[in-house]
Amino acid sequence: MKESLRVLRYPALAIVLMLGMQLVGGSIVASVAVVLGKMDNLMSLFAVGLLVSSVLTIIAMLTIRGFGLRHSFSRFGCSYTNAALAFVGILAGTAAAEMVTELMQLPNTMEEQFTDLSQTAAGVLAIGITGPICEELVFRGGVMRPLLREGVAVRHAILLSALIFGINHLNWAQIPFAIMVGIAYGVVYVRTQSLILTSLCHIINNMTAVWLMRHATEGADEWTFREALGLPLMLAVILSLSALCVVLLCLFWRRTQPVGDAPCSTSAD
């Protein structure tokens, strides 16, 4: 029991810290809005609250020395060639995960809220920029890194952080997708100890979603991969993208070596 508590103390702290900062950020924005008498647009206030809370979480995660994340954005952690392999592999896996999620037809309980948030400047920043950076710091840096440091098997640390990352979204339509991409992010983070690549891919994914939500025509039928490609071709694309993701990430894994907090060495280039 003692050993389990010791292993989980920093991952638990990261989650509690993120949730706490959401309450703090929301309370700060709500208090300022009440004082200024600006309570007429609740969605804009919610967007600002999300932005403030994510910034506070980023600052806290980088400041607390126990997480050891101060240099997480100072280097790639591998050569540019290997970084390109990881980048393309993650994007291929992200596209495949998006199609798989569409086929699952899970309820999207937060679609309306995200669409409304994407119409505000603060919402765009919170969803597309600060949110992804915050989540990478929490789930890869704050959850997975301490697990690895405490000797948890790599595959278990990757799967656990991806599972928590998915559940944190609290939306059936997002959970499977987040778990799948979280595994890919975890593989890259293990080898680089850097959050640059995973944050960049996370930002690209979220900003793409924001762009689609901002430009969606109200009342128009929702565009789907299945309607555009047909089921047989869609399945073929999923298999192809998944295979590309696995091949590139396996190649990336073979070409890099984990060396703690230092940039990883490469056997190629």
Side-chain angles (χ1 to χ4, degrees):
M1 184 64 176
K2 266 187 176 181
E3 181 67 17
S4 297
L5 291 175
R6 185 177 67 83
V7 170
L8 294 175
R9 68 189 188 281
Y10 276 110
L13 175 60
I15 301 300
V16 171
L17 182 65
M18 181 182 66
L19 296 176
M21 288 304 176
Q22 289 176 351
L23 291 175
V24 171
S27 299
I28 292 173
V29 172
S31 300
V32 172
V34 169
V35 171
L36 298 178
K38 301 289 186 180
M39 296 293 292
D40 52 324
N41 193 331
L42 294 179
M43 187 53 65
S44 292
L45 291 177
F46 182 48
V48 175
L50 283 178
L51 180 60
V52 171
S53 65
S54 60
V55 170
L56 290 175
T57 304
I58 290 170
I59 293 172
M61 293 297 297
L62 291 174
T63 302
I64 297 175
R65 294 183 62 183
F67 288 116
L69 299 173
R70 197 174 357 175
H71 303 294
S72 295
F73 297 100
S74 62
R75 51 182 168 74
F76 273 116
C78 61
S79 70
Y80 290 120
T81 300
N82 290 336
L85 290 174
F87 180 74
V88 176
I90 288 178
L91 292 186
T94 300
E98 182 65 42
M99 295 185 192
V100 170
T101 303
E102 180 186 304
L103 288 177
M104 296 175 74
Q105 295 185 325
L106 297 171
N108 191 343
T109 57
M110 300 181 69
E111 183 176 12
E112 185 177 347
Q113 292 92 324
F114 280 126
T115 300
D116 291 340
L117 283 171
S118 69
Q119 307 307 312
T120 68
V124 171
L125 288 174
I127 297 173
I129 305 295
T130 61
I133 294 173
C134 171
E135 290 181 344
E136 289 308 306
L137 279 166
V138 170
F139 296 105
R140 252 58 66 186
V143 173
M144 194 171 77
R145 186 174 187 276
L147 292 176
L148 294 170
R149 188 172 58 195
E150 293 294 339
V152 175
V154 170
R155 62 181 180 277
H156 294 155
I158 292 174
L159 289 174
L160 182 58
S161 64
L163 181 62
I164 298 173
F165 176 53
I167 294 173
N168 175 74
H169 285 77
L170 300 176
N171 182 6
W172 287 111
Q174 291 179 284
I175 290 175
F177 172 83
I179 292 174
M180 287 183 277
V181 298
I183 292 172
Y185 292 165
V187 168
V188 173
Y189 182 69
V190 166
R191 286 309 217 203
T192 64
Q193 293 292 299
S194 168
L195 292 172
I196 292 179
L197 284 173
T198 59
S199 295
L200 180 59
C201 291
H202 203 151
I203 287 171
I204 290 174
N205 174 74
N206 284 26
M207 286 300 292
T208 300
V210 167
W211 186 87
L212 291 173
M213 287 186 287
R214 285 180 64 89
H215 293 82
T217 303
E218 188 174 350
D221 293 334
E222 184 179 356
W223 185 91
T224 65
F225 287 106
R226 184 166 183 170
E227 289 180 354
L229 302 175
L231 183 58
L233 180 56
M234 182 180 177
L235 293 175
V237 172
I238 290 174
L239 291 174
S240 299
L241 289 174
S242 299
L244 179 62
C245 173
V246 171
V247 168
L248 291 180
L249 290 185
C250 285
L251 183 58
F252 166 81
W253 187 272
R254 291 183 61 184
R255 289 165 58 98
T256 56
Q257 295 294 327
V259 286
D261 289 331
C264 56
S265 60
T266 59
S267 57
D269 292 349

